[in-house]
PDB file of all heavy atoms in Angstrom:
ATOM      1  N   HIS A 673     148.617  31.937  79.961  1.00 81.00           N
ATOM      2  CA  HIS A 673     147.563  31.933  78.953  1.00 81.00           C
ATOM      3  C   HIS A 673     147.661  30.640  78.156  1.00 81.00           C
ATOM      4  O   HIS A 673     148.748  30.203  77.797  1.00 81.00           O
ATOM      5  CB  HIS A 673     147.704  33.126  78.018  1.00 81.00           C
ATOM      6  CG  HIS A 673     147.575  34.444  78.714  1.00 81.00           C
ATOM      7  ND1 HIS A 673     146.365  34.924  79.141  1.00 81.00           N
ATOM      8  CD2 HIS A 673     148.501  35.369  79.075  1.00 81.00           C
ATOM      9  CE1 HIS A 673     146.554  36.095  79.712  1.00 81.00           C
ATOM     10  NE2 HIS A 673     147.846  36.386  79.702  1.00 81.00           N
ATOM     11  N   SER A 674     146.504  30.035  77.884  1.00 83.00           N
ATOM     12  CA  SER A 674     146.519  28.795  77.117  1.00 83.00           C
ATOM     13  C   SER A 674     146.775  29.107  75.643  1.00 83.00           C
ATOM     14  O   SER A 674     146.348  30.125  75.118  1.00 83.00           O
ATOM     15  CB  SER A 674     145.194  28.050  77.280  1.00 83.00           C
ATOM     16  OG  SER A 674     144.141  28.789  76.721  1.00 83.00           O
ATOM     17  N   ILE A 675     147.521  28.211  74.987  1.00 89.00           N
ATOM     18  CA  ILE A 675     147.811  28.384  73.570  1.00 89.00           C
ATOM     19  C   ILE A 675     146.925  27.503  72.697  1.00 89.00           C
ATOM     20  O   ILE A 675     146.985  27.579  71.482  1.00 89.00           O
ATOM     21  CB  ILE A 675     149.305  28.105  73.267  1.00 89.00           C
ATOM     22  CG1 ILE A 675     149.685  26.692  73.653  1.00 89.00           C
ATOM     23  CG2 ILE A 675     150.181  29.117  73.953  1.00 89.00           C
ATOM     24  CD1 ILE A 675     151.066  26.282  73.197  1.00 89.00           C
ATOM     25  N   GLY A 676     146.116  26.668  73.317  1.00 91.00           N
ATOM     26  CA  GLY A 676     145.213  25.804  72.571  1.00 91.00           C
ATOM     27  C   GLY A 676     144.273  25.092  73.514  1.00 91.00           C
ATOM     28  O   GLY A 676     144.498  25.017  74.715  1.00 91.00           O
ATOM     29  N   SER A 677     143.191  24.572  72.980  1.00 92.00           N
ATOM     30  CA  SER A 677     142.240  23.826  73.802  1.00 92.00           C
ATOM     31  C   SER A 677     141.642  22.707  72.955  1.00 92.00           C
ATOM     32  O   SER A 677     141.708  22.725  71.732  1.00 92.00           O
ATOM     33  CB  SER A 677     141.149  24.741  74.339  1.00 92.00           C
ATOM     34  OG  SER A 677     140.418  25.306  73.275  1.00 92.00           O
ATOM     35  N   GLY A 678     141.065  21.741  73.639  1.00 94.00           N
ATOM     36  CA  GLY A 678     140.466  20.610  72.945  1.00 94.00           C
ATOM     37  C   GLY A 678     139.715  19.723  73.914  1.00 94.00           C
ATOM     38  O   GLY A 678     139.512  20.074  75.078  1.00 94.00           O
ATOM     39  N   THR A 679     139.339  18.560  73.439  1.00 94.00           N
ATOM     40  CA  THR A 679     138.580  17.611  74.246  1.00 94.00           C
ATOM     41  C   THR A 679     139.076  16.201  73.973  1.00 94.00           C
ATOM     42  O   THR A 679     139.315  15.825  72.833  1.00 94.00           O
ATOM     43  CB  THR A 679     137.078  17.687  73.902  1.00 94.00           C
ATOM     44  OG1 THR A 679     136.636  19.032  74.049  1.00 94.00           O
ATOM     45  CG2 THR A 679     136.258  16.809  74.821  1.00 94.00           C
ATOM     46  N   ILE A 680     139.252  15.429  75.048  1.00 94.00           N
ATOM     47  CA  ILE A 680     139.586  14.002  74.942  1.00 94.00           C
ATOM     48  C   ILE A 680     138.335  13.221  75.313  1.00 94.00           C
ATOM     49  O   ILE A 680     137.730  13.470  76.352  1.00 94.00           O
ATOM     50  CB  ILE A 680     140.748  13.624  75.883  1.00 94.00           C
ATOM     51  CG1 ILE A 680     142.018  14.374  75.504  1.00 94.00           C
ATOM     52  CG2 ILE A 680     140.979  12.124  75.869  1.00 94.00           C
ATOM     53  CD1 ILE A 680     143.185  14.109  76.427  1.00 94.00           C
ATOM     54  N   SER A 681     137.941  12.291  74.452  1.00 94.00           N
ATOM     55  CA  SER A 681     136.719  11.514  74.687  1.00 94.00           C
ATOM     56  C   SER A 681     137.052  10.040  74.871  1.00 94.00           C
ATOM     57  O   SER A 681     137.840   9.462  74.118  1.00 94.00           O
ATOM     58  CB  SER A 681     135.770  11.661  73.497  1.00 94.00           C
ATOM     59  OG  SER A 681     135.375  12.997  73.365  1.00 94.00           O
ATOM     60  N   PHE A 682     136.458   9.429  75.887  1.00 92.00           N
ATOM     61  CA  PHE A 682     136.545   7.986  76.161  1.00 92.00           C
ATOM     62  C   PHE A 682     135.122   7.459  76.277  1.00 92.00           C
ATOM     63  O   PHE A 682     134.537   7.475  77.358  1.00 92.00           O
ATOM     64  CB  PHE A 682     137.305   7.702  77.464  1.00 92.00           C
ATOM     65  CG  PHE A 682     138.727   8.166  77.457  1.00 92.00           C
ATOM     66  CD1 PHE A 682     139.108   9.311  78.137  1.00 92.00           C
ATOM     67  CD2 PHE A 682     139.696   7.452  76.773  1.00 92.00           C
ATOM     68  CE1 PHE A 682     140.418   9.727  78.149  1.00 92.00           C
ATOM     69  CE2 PHE A 682     141.013   7.867  76.774  1.00 92.00           C
ATOM     70  CZ  PHE A 682     141.375   9.003  77.467  1.00 92.00           C
ATOM     71  N   GLY A 683     134.568   7.031  75.187  1.00 90.00           N
ATOM     72  CA  GLY A 683     133.192   6.513  75.225  1.00 90.00           C
ATOM     73  C   GLY A 683     132.206   7.627  75.531  1.00 90.00           C
ATOM     74  O   GLY A 683     132.047   8.575  74.786  1.00 90.00           O
ATOM     75  N   LEU A 684     131.554   7.544  76.692  1.00 93.00           N
ATOM     76  CA  LEU A 684     130.565   8.551  77.090  1.00 93.00           C
ATOM     77  C   LEU A 684     131.195   9.684  77.928  1.00 93.00           C
ATOM     78  O   LEU A 684     130.495  10.614  78.313  1.00 93.00           O
ATOM     79  CB  LEU A 684     129.443   7.896  77.891  1.00 93.00           C
ATOM     80  CG  LEU A 684     128.619   6.861  77.126  1.00 93.00           C
ATOM     81  CD1 LEU A 684     127.614   6.189  78.069  1.00 93.00           C
ATOM     82  CD2 LEU A 684     127.901   7.498  75.957  1.00 93.00           C
ATOM     83  N   VAL A 685     132.489   9.581  78.215  1.00 95.00           N
ATOM     84  CA  VAL A 685     133.159  10.582  79.048  1.00 95.00           C
ATOM     85  C   VAL A 685     134.028  11.470  78.163  1.00 95.00           C
ATOM     86  O   VAL A 685     134.832  10.983  77.376  1.00 95.00           O
ATOM     87  CB  VAL A 685     134.046   9.898  80.120  1.00 95.00           C
ATOM     88  CG1 VAL A 685     134.769  10.935  80.941  1.00 95.00           C
ATOM     89  CG2 VAL A 685     133.199   8.997  80.996  1.00 95.00           C
ATOM     90  N   SER A 686     133.860  12.773  78.279  1.00 95.00           N
ATOM     91  CA  SER A 686     134.719  13.714  77.551  1.00 95.00           C
ATOM     92  C   SER A 686     135.384  14.660  78.563  1.00 95.00           C
ATOM     93  O   SER A 686     134.745  15.135  79.494  1.00 95.00           O
ATOM     94  CB  SER A 686     133.920  14.502  76.515  1.00 95.00           C
ATOM     95  OG  SER A 686     132.926  15.259  77.142  1.00 95.00           O
ATOM     96  N   ILE A 687     136.686  14.885  78.360  1.00 94.00           N
ATOM     97  CA  ILE A 687     137.476  15.693  79.280  1.00 94.00           C
ATOM     98  C   ILE A 687     138.016  16.901  78.518  1.00 94.00           C
ATOM     99  O   ILE A 687     138.757  16.736  77.543  1.00 94.00           O
ATOM    100  CB  ILE A 687     138.649  14.875  79.866  1.00 94.00           C
ATOM    101  CG1 ILE A 687     138.120  13.627  80.568  1.00 94.00           C
ATOM    102  CG2 ILE A 687     139.480  15.732  80.815  1.00 94.00           C
ATOM    103  CD1 ILE A 687     139.196  12.649  80.931  1.00 94.00           C
ATOM    104  N   PRO A 688     137.657  18.125  78.958  1.00 95.00           N
ATOM    105  CA  PRO A 688     138.216  19.305  78.291  1.00 95.00           C
ATOM    106  C   PRO A 688     139.680  19.505  78.707  1.00 95.00           C
ATOM    107  O   PRO A 688     140.046  19.299  79.867  1.00 95.00           O
ATOM    108  CB  PRO A 688     137.344  20.453  78.790  1.00 95.00           C
ATOM    109  CG  PRO A 688     136.776  19.975  80.068  1.00 95.00           C
ATOM    110  CD  PRO A 688     136.689  18.475  79.971  1.00 95.00           C
ATOM    111  N   ILE A 689     140.536  19.890  77.756  1.00 94.00           N
ATOM    112  CA  ILE A 689     141.952  20.114  78.047  1.00 94.00           C
ATOM    113  C   ILE A 689     142.370  21.473  77.480  1.00 94.00           C
ATOM    114  O   ILE A 689     141.747  22.002  76.567  1.00 94.00           O
ATOM    115  CB  ILE A 689     142.857  19.008  77.464  1.00 94.00           C
ATOM    116  CG1 ILE A 689     142.705  18.936  75.936  1.00 94.00           C
ATOM    117  CG2 ILE A 689     142.575  17.667  78.098  1.00 94.00           C
ATOM    118  CD1 ILE A 689     143.775  18.125  75.273  1.00 94.00           C
ATOM    119  N   ARG A 690     143.439  22.036  78.061  1.00 92.00           N
ATOM    120  CA  ARG A 690     144.043  23.267  77.550  1.00 92.00           C
ATOM    121  C   ARG A 690     145.544  23.079  77.511  1.00 92.00           C
ATOM    122  O   ARG A 690     146.121  22.418  78.369  1.00 92.00           O
ATOM    123  CB  ARG A 690     143.710  24.443  78.461  1.00 92.00           C
ATOM    124  CG  ARG A 690     142.267  24.855  78.389  1.00 92.00           C
ATOM    125  CD  ARG A 690     142.050  26.121  79.165  1.00 92.00           C
ATOM    126  NE  ARG A 690     140.641  26.471  79.140  1.00 92.00           N
ATOM    127  CZ  ARG A 690     140.063  27.264  80.016  1.00 92.00           C
ATOM    128  NH1 ARG A 690     140.776  27.786  80.991  1.00 92.00           N
ATOM    129  NH2 ARG A 690     138.795  27.529  79.913  1.00 92.00           N
ATOM    130  N   LEU A 691     146.207  23.653  76.497  1.00 90.00           N
ATOM    131  CA  LEU A 691     147.655  23.575  76.352  1.00 90.00           C
ATOM    132  C   LEU A 691     148.289  24.871  76.848  1.00 90.00           C
ATOM    133  O   LEU A 691     147.822  25.966  76.537  1.00 90.00           O
ATOM    134  CB  LEU A 691     148.028  23.392  74.885  1.00 90.00           C
ATOM    135  CG  LEU A 691     148.292  21.973  74.393  1.00 90.00           C
ATOM    136  CD1 LEU A 691     147.103  21.108  74.546  1.00 90.00           C
ATOM    137  CD2 LEU A 691     148.818  22.030  72.997  1.00 90.00           C
ATOM    138  N   TYR A 692     149.369  24.730  77.619  1.00 87.00           N
ATOM    139  CA  TYR A 692     150.127  25.868  78.127  1.00 87.00           C
ATOM    140  C   TYR A 692     151.588  25.695  77.737  1.00 87.00           C
ATOM    141  O   TYR A 692     152.070  24.576  77.572  1.00 87.00           O
ATOM    142  CB  TYR A 692     150.027  25.960  79.657  1.00 87.00           C
ATOM    143  CG  TYR A 692     148.639  26.269  80.148  1.00 87.00           C
ATOM    144  CD1 TYR A 692     147.761  25.247  80.502  1.00 87.00           C
ATOM    145  CD2 TYR A 692     148.200  27.572  80.258  1.00 87.00           C
ATOM    146  CE1 TYR A 692     146.486  25.530  80.965  1.00 87.00           C
ATOM    147  CE2 TYR A 692     146.931  27.862  80.718  1.00 87.00           C
ATOM    148  CZ  TYR A 692     146.075  26.834  81.065  1.00 87.00           C
ATOM    149  OH  TYR A 692     144.809  27.122  81.510  1.00 87.00           O
ATOM    150  N   THR A 693     152.307  26.790  77.611  1.00 82.00           N
ATOM    151  CA  THR A 693     153.731  26.711  77.323  1.00 82.00           C
ATOM    152  C   THR A 693     154.458  26.182  78.550  1.00 82.00           C
ATOM    153  O   THR A 693     154.059  26.439  79.688  1.00 82.00           O
ATOM    154  CB  THR A 693     154.305  28.084  76.934  1.00 82.00           C
ATOM    155  OG1 THR A 693     154.019  28.999  77.977  1.00 82.00           O
ATOM    156  CG2 THR A 693     153.704  28.594  75.650  1.00 82.00           C
ATOM    157  N   ALA A 694     155.540  25.443  78.314  1.00 79.00           N
ATOM    158  CA  ALA A 694     156.259  24.818  79.425  1.00 79.00           C
ATOM    159  C   ALA A 694     157.270  25.756  80.062  1.00 79.00           C
ATOM    160  O   ALA A 694     157.630  25.594  81.206  1.00 79.00           O
ATOM    161  CB  ALA A 694     156.969  23.558  78.941  1.00 79.00           C
ATOM    162  N   ALA A 695     157.733  26.729  79.332  1.00 73.00           N
ATOM    163  CA  ALA A 695     158.750  27.637  79.850  1.00 73.00           C
ATOM    164  C   ALA A 695     158.146  29.011  80.087  1.00 73.00           C
ATOM    165  O   ALA A 695     157.299  29.476  79.327  1.00 73.00           O
ATOM    166  CB  ALA A 695     159.915  27.744  78.869  1.00 73.00           C
ATOM    167  N   ALA A 696     158.582  29.658  81.143  1.00 67.00           N
ATOM    168  CA  ALA A 696     158.144  31.015  81.449  1.00 67.00           C
ATOM    169  C   ALA A 696     159.278  31.987  81.186  1.00 67.00           C
ATOM    170  O   ALA A 696     160.437  31.686  81.476  1.00 67.00           O
ATOM    171  CB  ALA A 696     157.700  31.116  82.903  1.00 67.00           C
ATOM    172  N   SER A 697     158.959  33.125  80.627  1.00 72.00           N
ATOM    173  CA  SER A 697     160.003  34.119  80.399  1.00 72.00           C
ATOM    174  C   SER A 697     160.293  34.841  81.704  1.00 72.00           C
ATOM    175  O   SER A 697     159.390  35.185  82.450  1.00 72.00           O
ATOM    176  CB  SER A 697     159.565  35.098  79.326  1.00 72.00           C
ATOM    177  OG  SER A 697     158.411  35.791  79.754  1.00 72.00           O
ATOM    178  N   GLY A 698     161.533  35.053  81.963  1.00 77.00           N
ATOM    179  CA  GLY A 698     161.936  35.744  83.181  1.00 77.00           C
ATOM    180  C   GLY A 698     163.446  35.736  83.278  1.00 77.00           C
ATOM    181  O   GLY A 698     164.125  34.968  82.590  1.00 77.00           O
ATOM    182  N   GLY A 699     163.950  36.589  84.087  1.00 81.00           N
ATOM    183  CA  GLY A 699     165.393  36.693  84.217  1.00 81.00           C
ATOM    184  C   GLY A 699     165.881  36.174  85.560  1.00 81.00           C
ATOM    185  O   GLY A 699     165.120  36.075  86.522  1.00 81.00           O
ATOM    186  N   VAL A 700     167.125  35.836  85.605  1.00 83.00           N
ATOM    187  CA  VAL A 700     167.756  35.390  86.830  1.00 83.00           C
ATOM    188  C   VAL A 700     168.745  36.470  87.233  1.00 83.00           C
ATOM    189  O   VAL A 700     169.541  36.930  86.420  1.00 83.00           O
ATOM    190  CB  VAL A 700     168.497  34.051  86.619  1.00 83.00           C
ATOM    191  CG1 VAL A 700     169.219  33.638  87.879  1.00 83.00           C
ATOM    192  CG2 VAL A 700     167.528  32.985  86.184  1.00 83.00           C
ATOM    193  N   SER A 701     168.668  36.897  88.473  1.00 85.00           N
ATOM    194  CA  SER A 701     169.614  37.913  88.933  1.00 85.00           C
ATOM    195  C   SER A 701     170.422  37.345  90.101  1.00 85.00           C
ATOM    196  O   SER A 701     169.907  36.595  90.928  1.00 85.00           O
ATOM    197  CB  SER A 701     168.884  39.180  89.363  1.00 85.00           C
ATOM    198  OG  SER A 701     168.017  38.909  90.441  1.00 85.00           O
ATOM    199  N   PHE A 702     171.683  37.713  90.137  1.00 90.00           N
ATOM    200  CA  PHE A 702     172.579  37.260  91.198  1.00 90.00           C
ATOM    201  C   PHE A 702     173.126  38.470  91.939  1.00 90.00           C
ATOM    202  O   PHE A 702     173.209  39.567  91.392  1.00 90.00           O
ATOM    203  CB  PHE A 702     173.759  36.467  90.595  1.00 90.00           C
ATOM    204  CG  PHE A 702     173.334  35.193  89.916  1.00 90.00           C
ATOM    205  CD1 PHE A 702     173.191  35.132  88.546  1.00 90.00           C
ATOM    206  CD2 PHE A 702     173.080  34.064  90.664  1.00 90.00           C
ATOM    207  CE1 PHE A 702     172.800  33.964  87.929  1.00 90.00           C
ATOM    208  CE2 PHE A 702     172.691  32.886  90.050  1.00 90.00           C
ATOM    209  CZ  PHE A 702     172.546  32.833  88.674  1.00 90.00           C
ATOM    210  N   HIS A 703     173.506  38.259  93.189  1.00 90.00           N
ATOM    211  CA  HIS A 703     174.137  39.317  93.963  1.00 90.00           C
ATOM    212  C   HIS A 703     175.606  39.417  93.572  1.00 90.00           C
ATOM    213  O   HIS A 703     176.232  38.431  93.210  1.00 90.00           O
ATOM    214  CB  HIS A 703     174.044  39.018  95.464  1.00 90.00           C
ATOM    215  CG  HIS A 703     172.645  38.973  95.981  1.00 90.00           C
ATOM    216  ND1 HIS A 703     171.828  40.070  96.049  1.00 90.00           N
ATOM    217  CD2 HIS A 703     171.914  37.941  96.453  1.00 90.00           C
ATOM    218  CE1 HIS A 703     170.663  39.732  96.541  1.00 90.00           C
ATOM    219  NE2 HIS A 703     170.672  38.439  96.790  1.00 90.00           N
ATOM    220  N   LEU A 704     176.140  40.633  93.650  1.00 90.00           N
ATOM    221  CA  LEU A 704     177.568  40.816  93.429  1.00 90.00           C
ATOM    222  C   LEU A 704     178.294  40.537  94.736  1.00 90.00           C
ATOM    223  O   LEU A 704     177.910  41.027  95.798  1.00 90.00           O
ATOM    224  CB  LEU A 704     177.858  42.252  92.968  1.00 90.00           C
ATOM    225  CG  LEU A 704     177.276  42.643  91.617  1.00 90.00           C
ATOM    226  CD1 LEU A 704     177.505  44.126  91.355  1.00 90.00           C
ATOM    227  CD2 LEU A 704     177.912  41.823  90.524  1.00 90.00           C
ATOM    228  N   LEU A 705     179.352  39.729  94.676  1.00 92.00           N
ATOM    229  CA  LEU A 705     180.101  39.338  95.870  1.00 92.00           C
ATOM    230  C   LEU A 705     181.545  39.775  95.759  1.00 92.00           C
ATOM    231  O   LEU A 705     182.119  39.801  94.670  1.00 92.00           O
ATOM    232  CB  LEU A 705     180.045  37.819  96.073  1.00 92.00           C
ATOM    233  CG  LEU A 705     178.665  37.193  96.189  1.00 92.00           C
ATOM    234  CD1 LEU A 705     178.797  35.682  96.295  1.00 92.00           C
ATOM    235  CD2 LEU A 705     177.908  37.751  97.368  1.00 92.00           C
TER     236      LEU A 705
END
């Protein structure tokens, strides 16, 4: 899910952007040896 949005403009060109978090929540599981 995006946490923010905006627009970058260069003269007559505008580019829509969205911000996302860089880290994902999740766990790491290992096998027992």
Side-chain angles (χ1 to χ4, degrees):
H673 298 286
S674 65
I675 59 171
S677 62
T679 305
I680 297 177
S681 297
F682 298 104
L684 297 175
V685 178
S686 61
I687 303 169
I689 60 166
R690 290 187 183 159
L691 264 61
Y692 294 93
T693 56
S697 62
V700 177
S701 62
F702 296 99
H703 297 293
L704 295 174
L705 303 176

